[in-house]
Amino acid sequence: MKVGIMSDSHDHLANIRKAVEIFNEVGVGFVLHAGDFVAPFVANELQKLSCPLLGVFGNNDGERIGLQNRLKSFGAEVKVQPAFIELEGKQFVIVHEHELVDALAESGKFDVVVYGHTHNADIRKASNGCLIVNPGEVCGWLTGKPTVAVLDTETMEVELVEL
């Protein structure tokens, strides 16, 4: 299964639209969002995904109830971090902030740790083989390079895709 991974969309509708188009084109079976959607209206673009979405709230998600309700209206889900999910036999944990990423990876409980917040892409393996993925930022506001990631759960390889 291909898993789309995104973070820090910060209301950038054009880039969210591009991310959704890419995920739909490559046939991802699930999308994970590592927080900072920001406003509930971003759901208008995210509902065009051809697969389920699970995300966590970030530090800039102010209208949480509105965002949660809007995403829930089409079957997507957003939770207070951490969020846990099993996809294709792989254990995922999704967080926004980066402080506990290495500890989560080294815990031995997860195959993949997904995080955001830093706006910088980070794809690496912990010493125990746990995959750590920060897809960078969808918005492009800080780095000038908007990106998402696509993870293949069979090969455990990640492709960083520029929007």
Side-chain angles (χ1 to χ4, degrees), residues 41-79:
F41 63 77
V42 301
N44 296 338
E45 294 303 326
L46 293 171
Q47 72 181 347
K48 297 173 186 171
L49 283 166
S50 299
C51 65
L53 177 139
L54 171 64
V56 295
F57 291 114
N59 60 301
N60 284 294
D61 293 318
E63 194 180 335
R64 289 183 174 199
I65 292 172
L67 180 60
Q68 193 168 45
N69 289 340
R70 186 65 189 96
L71 290 171
K72 189 184 289 187
S73 74
F74 59 91
E77 192 173 9
V78 61
K79 297 181 174 188

Side-chain angles (χ1 to χ4, degrees), residues 3-23:
V3 178
I5 303 172
M6 62 193 304
S7 187
D8 296 283
S9 44
H10 288 274
D11 290 346
H12 198 302
L13 295 180
N15 285 354
I16 295 169
R17 192 173 302 118
K18 288 177 191 176
V20 167
E21 288 171 2
I22 288 166
F23 290 154

Side-chain angles (χ1 to χ4, degrees), residues 30-137:
F30 213 98
V31 170
L32 304 175
H33 193 302
D36 280 356
F37 298 82
V38 181
F41 63 77
V42 301
N44 296 338
E45 294 303 326
L46 293 171
Q47 72 181 347
K48 297 173 186 171
L49 283 166
S50 299
C51 65
L53 177 139
L54 171 64
V56 295
F57 291 114
N59 60 301
N60 284 294
D61 293 318
E63 194 180 335
R64 289 183 174 199
I65 292 172
L67 180 60
Q68 193 168 45
N69 289 340
R70 186 65 189 96
L71 290 171
K72 189 184 289 187
S73 74
F74 59 91
E77 192 173 9
V78 61
K79 297 181 174 188
V80 174
Q81 65 179 346
F84 307 97
I85 190 166
E86 180 179 331
L87 298 170
E88 297 293 308
K90 307 291 187 205
Q91 299 298 322
F92 288 75
V93 59
I94 306 115
V95 295
H96 182 64
E97 283 85 10
H98 60 285
E99 290 85 4
L100 296 177
V101 167
D102 291 324
L104 288 166
E106 295 293 344
S107 74
K109 295 182 179 183
F110 308 104
D111 299 294
V112 183
V113 176
V114 173
Y115 78 104
H117 189 62
T118 66
H119 293 243
N120 293 304
D122 176 21
I123 300 168
R124 59 190 162 97
K125 287 195 176 181
S127 62
N128 63 0
C130 178
L131 183 61
I132 298 169
V133 180
N134 181 330
E137 60 177 356

Side-chain angles (χ1 to χ4, degrees), residues 5-7 121 135-140 145-149 160-163:
I5 303 172
M6 62 193 304
S7 187
E137 60 177 356
V138 168
C139 63
K145 184 179 178 184
T147 54
V148 294
L160 194 65
V161 182
E162 194 166 342
L163 301 178

Side-chain angles (χ1 to χ4, degrees), residues 1 88 90 151-157:
M1 170 192 281
E88 297 293 308
K90 307 291 187 205
L151 165 65
D152 184 326
T153 58
E154 268 187 51
T155 63
M156 294 302 283
E157 292 185 10

